[in-house]
Amino acid sequence: EYTYAKHEAGKNHENKTEEWLKKGGGKIEYITESQIQKLQGEKYGGKFVNPRITPDILLKVPIQLSEEGQHIHWIDAKKQFIDPSLSPEYKVTSFCNQLNKYVKNYGPGLIVWGKNFSEEWNEATKGVVQHIKI
């Protein structure tokens, strides 16, 4: 039951993130994780899509959330709490590996947290990954 509830909460946060993007962004073209998985080595928005590297949202054209922020190419929703100082090392390492794959393949991106997040993430990933909570 716990695993199912955790999975459902994550899925709900992904849906909420997509709704947030639609409301705030107007006509932003993107594909979702399930669509990415179906594009075997094809290009989307000028980027080769790797079906094993799947952020929740891959933007066709990068967007800029603020004047001082970098353009983002992808968005990933996180419902869990991962703190560089408090979380187990394996969770932090896994999260960092995931970010590195996304950035290497698609460019800078955005993590949309469903819970409070450590501001250390903004410092640690400055210029590459932005972090916000919705």
Side-chain angles (χ1 to χ4, degrees):
E1 284 182 39
Y2 172 76
T3 302
Y4 176 77
K6 188 174 167 183
H7 177 75
E8 285 300 304
K11 214 45 163 155
N12 288 337
H13 182 57
E14 289 171 13
N15 292 338
K16 184 178 174 184
T17 298
E18 192 172 352
E19 289 171 19
W20 167 82
L21 179 63
K22 287 177 183 176
K23 282 182 190 173
K27 281 266 193 197
I28 296 174
E29 291 184 66
Y30 63 90
I31 56 176
T32 61
E33 181 178 8
S34 60
Q35 293 167 311
I36 293 168
Q37 292 170 344
K38 295 175 186 171
L39 295 177
Q40 289 283 356
E42 295 179 39
K43 272 190 170 184
Y44 181 78
K47 301 175 237 13
F48 281 103
V49 177
N50 185 328
R52 293 185 313 270
I53 301 174
T54 57
D56 294 319
I57 295 171
L58 182 61
L59 302 167
K60 186 170 190 175
V61 176
I63 60 173
Q64 190 173 11
L65 297 177
S66 65
E67 276 188 38
E68 64 278 353
Q70 79 272 0
H71 284 81
I72 60 167
H73 299 255
W74 54 267
I75 300 171
D76 202 55
K78 293 290 179 209
K79 186 68 174 171
Q80 74 250 18
F81 178 80
I82 304 170
D83 185 288
S85 301
L86 303 173
S87 297
E89 188 175 335
Y90 77 91
K91 278 192 174 191
V92 174
T93 299
S94 176
F95 178 62
C96 289
N97 288 341
Q98 182 183 34
L99 294 182
N100 287 334
K101 286 179 194 175
Y102 292 170
V103 171
K104 182 179 177 186
N105 282 272
Y106 304 124
L110 174 71
I111 299 295
V112 177
W113 297 91
K115 297 182 177 189
N116 289 332
F117 67 93
S118 171
E119 285 296 326
E120 288 180 57
W121 286 121
N122 276 321
E123 265 312 302
T125 62
K126 190 173 186 168
V128 183
V129 179
Q130 296 178 51
H131 303 261
I132 63 169
K133 178 186 176 228
I134 62 166

